[in-house]
Amino acid sequence: MSYSAYFQKAKLTSYFSMQFMVAVSLFFLGLFEGALSLLEIFYISTPLLSFAVYFTLFVFYPVALPVLSLVIVTVLLDVFFSSLDHSQTFAILVSLLIVRGAVSFPEQRDFMEIWQSFIVALVILLGLQSVGYMIWHMSFINFQSVMFQFGVTVLLYPFLHAIVRQAADLLTHISQR
Amino acid sequence: MARRGSGHAKGTSRLSTQIILLVISFSLIFLGKLDIYTLRAAKTGVSDVIAPLYDIVAAPVRAFDTMASGMRTLASFRAENVRLRAENERLRRWQRRAEILESENRQLRTVLGAASTTALTPVTARAISAPGGSFAHSLLLQIDEGHRIRRGDAVVNADGLIGFIIESGRKSARVLLISDVNAKIPVLLASSSWPGLVLGNNDQRLRLDFLPLEAEAKEGELVLTSGHGGILPAGIPVGRVVVAEPGNVIVAPSVALEQISFVSVLTKDEGLDKPVDLADLERFFGPLKPESDGRLLEGISAAELLK
């Protein structure tokens, strides 16, 4: 083996496709989100961190997160975290598809508009799940915990949005070098 | 023109994929409810695979929680010490009372020839998840391979009932908490023995319903499992009545469900129809060791008195 092999430029492209890596990262983010419930404050409801990231990726980087990846990741997390009601996958898919249809040219939009669209998507998600729950169980949902989840997720969205955009810019910058 | 046609075909294909995936995700809601064995096995298989990964991801959160609770304890160290001393004294009095009652209970059981129907073996497991959602209250247990945990086994800790097993895999099992909307536990009011049903509603409080019309629940009254239905053993504390109004009885769980770490799964031995072994009964339902003050009735029998 020659010494020159050690001084070859490292390969910056992964063998795994970008979409696969994004799906794996989202899966671990979902696990982390579930782990937050171990903290007493989030025992009843954790902030929907992964939904916020799905939204940003779905709207700004649709190539990185195809619908199939989204479904696979959400089904796995849905099966792992709640064994009885598998409505989350459907609700996430419906809310994201509706809002993506409404948000055209996201790069040209103000952040406040994007935030508003996220709130609409979140309302659709939690609304669908709540209605499904009430029909299925013939019982009222605990609105306090749903509102807590809604509020914390809305407040955290700007931070998550900034993190995802920065990470995407960084990865684009690295891959273009 | 050809490019426009290709773009249109691509758009149609994307739309049809989205519709198919929407239909699949919608049908999952119903498939989950059908309780098909293959699906259940697939779900437990997924949980078995993901549970170790989740345990790793949850480690920093758990460490943070331990650190935060440690700091809280340090801050209230003195007050906590005084409270614990008082509680210890109270518990000692209760222990003496419990020993006397257990001894009396055992003797009465012997006189009546009453026997418990089920032999239970406790298996210790670690809870690795918490509900974290408004729509389902379940938690996952990490267990050793070769266990005998089955669906329906009661899950308890020192304070009382936590829930029961709804899925049992190779290395993990899922517990439906008593606070879940699907949990309906047959119970008895401890002081009046009126039967009822404790219903979860995905909240930290439970509802006591289906009480007979003449039943009157009292605030502070203990609620125990009745054993009706044969799934859960009788006599496990479920909670205490905190609101006792006509038509609205609310129960606070005995167990702090948000602080569960280790639990005991009460597994049923093979063959529930086998005759009850009295030695087993002695082991599980025998009284605590008596103190040496000689005040207990333990050991006094007619034969000894006649001597």
Side-chain angles (χ1 to χ4, degrees):
Chain A
M1 195 180 187
S2 68
Y3 281 106
S4 62
Y6 287 105
F7 299 102
Q8 277 180 1
K9 198 174 176 184
K11 284 180 181 172
L12 291 171
T13 49
S14 169
Y15 287 106
F16 296 103
S17 77
M18 177 186 58
Q19 292 171 348
F20 178 76
M21 294 306 286
V22 167
V24 170
S25 311
L26 286 176
F27 174 71
F28 279 99
L29 179 69
L31 290 184
F32 178 75
E33 180 189 310
L36 285 179
S37 62
L38 295 170
L39 301 175
E40 217 169 307
I41 188 170
F42 296 129
Y43 169 74
I44 290 285
S45 51
T46 54
L48 297 165
L49 304 180
S50 48
F51 181 71
V53 177
Y54 296 154
F55 176 82
T56 307
L57 289 173
F58 218 61
V59 169
F60 287 92
Y61 312 98
V63 178
L65 184 63
V67 183
L68 185 64
S69 303
L70 180 75
V71 168
I72 291 170
V73 170
T74 48
V75 163
L76 282 176
L77 290 171
D78 208 5
V79 166
F80 183 69
F81 283 114
S82 61
S83 93
L84 300 166
D85 297 302
H86 299 300
S87 57
Q88 196 167 12
T89 308
F90 178 71
I92 285 176
L93 205 54
V94 169
S95 60
L96 289 180
L97 287 173
I98 289 174
V99 176
R100 185 165 73 174
V103 184
S104 50
F105 305 110
E107 294 288 354
Q108 295 167 16
R109 287 180 184 248
D110 186 22
F111 173 71
M112 289 305 284
E113 285 179 76
I114 301 295
W115 202 2
Q116 282 166 13
S117 305
F118 174 71
I119 291 171
V120 171
L122 197 58
V123 167
I124 295 171
L125 170 74
L126 294 174
L128 274 175
Q129 282 191 286
S130 302
V131 168
Y133 175 93
M134 287 192 278
I135 292 171
W136 206 264
H137 298 293
M138 300 298 278
S139 157
F140 280 105
I141 189 83
N142 180 4
F143 277 108
Q144 199 184 343
S145 67
V146 175
M147 291 315 287
F148 175 76
Q149 193 167 36
F150 175 78
V152 177
T153 311
V154 168
L155 287 177
L156 285 176
Y157 180 71
F159 300 100
L160 292 162
H161 177 83
I163 291 168
V164 173
R165 296 301 304 270
Q166 286 299 318
D169 285 351
L170 190 70
L171 287 173
T172 314
H173 182 69
I174 291 171
S175 61
Q176 282 173 353
R177 275 175 68 186
Chain B
M1 186 73 185
R3 189 179 290 171
R4 193 185 293 171
S6 145
H8 179 72
K10 215 173 180 180
T12 313
S13 149
R14 193 183 299 158
L15 187 68
S16 55
T17 310
Q18 287 176 1
I19 290 168
I20 289 167
L21 288 171
L22 267 173
V23 170
I24 290 172
S25 59
F26 186 69
S27 55
L28 271 177
I29 302 171
F30 297 95
L31 280 175
K33 293 280 175 191
L34 285 179
D35 199 24
I36 301 167
Y37 176 78
T38 320
L39 273 175
R40 205 163 3 109
K43 280 199 286 189
T44 51
V46 167
S47 296
D48 276 350
V49 172
I50 300 177
L53 292 174
Y54 173 78
D55 203 24
I56 294 167
V57 174
V61 180
R62 211 175 285 125
F64 178 80
D65 190 39
T66 310
M67 191 184 74
S69 61
M71 283 167 76
R72 273 202 303 271
T73 311
L74 272 178
S76 58
F77 196 64
R78 202 178 164 80
E80 187 79 347
N81 194 24
V82 172
R83 192 185 64 76
L84 285 175
R85 275 173 189 276
E87 191 175 305
N88 199 23
E89 187 54 41
R90 195 168 53 85
L91 288 175
R92 252 191 228 154
R93 283 202 297 273
W94 271 107
Q95 189 190 5
R96 281 196 287 273
R97 178 98 181 114
E99 282 168 0
I100 293 166
L101 288 173
E102 282 219 60
S103 165
E104 196 179 304
N105 187 28
R106 200 175 71 116
Q107 289 181 36
L108 289 172
R109 272 175 183 275
T110 315
V111 171
L112 292 170
S116 185
T117 49
T118 322
L120 301 167
T121 311
V123 173
T124 305
R126 190 161 72 93
I128 58 168
S129 75
S134 316
F135 304 101
H137 276 205
S138 65
L139 60 83
L140 208 68
L141 302 180
Q142 203 171 33
I143 42 182
D144 290 333
E145 278 187 70
H147 61 82
R148 290 185 305 175
I149 294 172
R150 289 189 220 132
R151 288 178 85 193
D153 286 346
V155 180
V156 298
N157 71 1
D159 297 324
L161 185 70
I162 293 169
F164 53 92
I165 300 288
I166 48 168
E167 278 172 21
S168 175
R170 215 158 41 86
K171 287 186 278 186
S172 66
R174 189 177 297 278
V175 181
L176 187 76
L177 295 178
I178 51 172
S179 56
D180 189 276
V181 72
N182 295 290
K184 289 158 180 62
I185 315 286
V187 292
L188 288 175
L189 288 169
S191 51
S192 55
S193 295
W194 287 113
L197 214 55
V198 159
L199 312 170
N201 52 354
N202 285 3
D203 198 356
Q204 282 166 312
R205 296 287 169 95
L206 315 167
R207 205 155 50 85
L208 178 57
D209 214 338
F210 297 102
L211 281 170
L213 287 174
E214 58 270 45
E216 276 185 27
K218 295 180 202 117
E219 277 186 27
E221 194 169 1
L222 187 65
V223 177
L224 304 166
T225 53
S226 67
H228 293 146
I231 303 282
L232 297 172
I236 302 173
V238 176
R240 276 187 191 279
V241 175
V242 286
V243 177
E245 294 164 358
N248 179 34
V249 183
I250 305 293
V251 175
S254 305
V255 179
L257 294 169
E258 66 281 4
Q259 291 169 354
I260 296 167
S261 50
F262 285 93
V263 300
S264 293
V265 184
L266 302 179
T267 59
K268 298 175 187 90
D269 284 345
E270 291 286 326
L272 291 176
D273 297 326
K274 71 174 184 183
V276 177
D277 188 347
L278 283 175
D280 279 345
L281 281 179
E282 189 75 18
R283 189 153 57 89
F284 289 110
F285 299 103
L288 301 167
K289 277 189 176 178
E291 283 178 0
S292 56
D293 57 8
R295 284 183 295 148
L296 296 178
L297 296 170
E298 181 75 29
I300 297 178
S301 66
E304 277 179 2
L305 286 173
L306 286 173
K307 273 183 201 170

